[in-house]
Amino acid sequence: MTEDWAAVARAINQRTDELGMRQRELARRSHVSQATVRELQRNTVHRRRSARTLEALSLALGWHPEHLLAVLEGREPPAVGEPVLREDDVPSRLTAIERQLRQITRQLDEMNARLSAGAGRDGEQAG
């Protein structure tokens, strides 16, 4: 699995801009050092961060605890209030599968709508 730390930096920067939050405030709220926050925001130091660091930052930014982890992994972040997933927690894993199925269904519905719209135009041109 590839990790997209640049996407994490973009997400943090966009959210801090939305909230008008400074780096120092994010560090204080998340209990993550300001140096670590700076490194993540600038995407300058490439090393693995703990899931706890990403969770603390996600919560400080008003997101679901797994938001930044999902961004890192290229997944759609869970909505605030959705259950926190634990690898050994079967109900949470089922919730994750259901979320993925909803996302796939949404994408298929969009594709079908585009195909139907294209078929309708083709039929008009043929007639």
Side-chain angles (χ1 to χ4, degrees), residues 65-109:
E66 294 177 353
H67 187 100
L68 287 173
L69 181 61
V71 169
L72 176 66
E73 295 174 348
R75 296 183 287 114
E76 183 176 330
V80 173
E82 285 191 37
V84 175
L85 302 180
R86 302 284 181 232
E87 287 186 25
D88 59 345
D89 181 10
V90 173
S92 293
R93 292 176 73 189
L94 289 173
T95 299
I97 292 168
E98 288 173 342
R99 181 185 320 131
Q100 290 172 330
L101 286 173
R102 281 193 304 272
Q103 184 177 357
I104 291 167
T105 300
R106 231 182 354 261
Q107 291 171 336
L108 287 171
D109 288 345

Side-chain angles (χ1 to χ4, degrees), residues 12-23:
I12 292 171
N13 290 325
Q14 181 179 4
R15 185 67 170 169
T16 54
D17 287 348
E18 287 172 7
L19 299 174
M21 187 183 295
R22 295 186 179 272
Q23 205 174 71

Side-chain angles (χ1 to χ4, degrees), residues 19-74:
L19 299 174
M21 187 183 295
R22 295 186 179 272
Q23 205 174 71
R24 183 176 306 170
E25 178 67 11
L26 179 55
R28 186 186 67 73
R29 287 185 184 192
S30 64
H31 302 286
V32 171
S33 76
Q34 190 170 349
T36 298
V37 171
R38 183 181 317 108
E39 290 171 0
L40 287 168
Q41 282 187 293
R42 295 181 181 170
N43 191 27
T44 53
V45 177
H46 300 274
R47 65 174 165 234
R48 179 78 179 135
R49 303 291 177 170
S50 76
R52 287 184 183 165
T53 298
L54 296 177
E55 181 177 324
L57 290 168
S58 293
L59 290 171
L61 292 167
W63 284 330
H64 185 279
E66 294 177 353
H67 187 100
L68 287 173
L69 181 61
V71 169
L72 176 66
E73 295 174 348

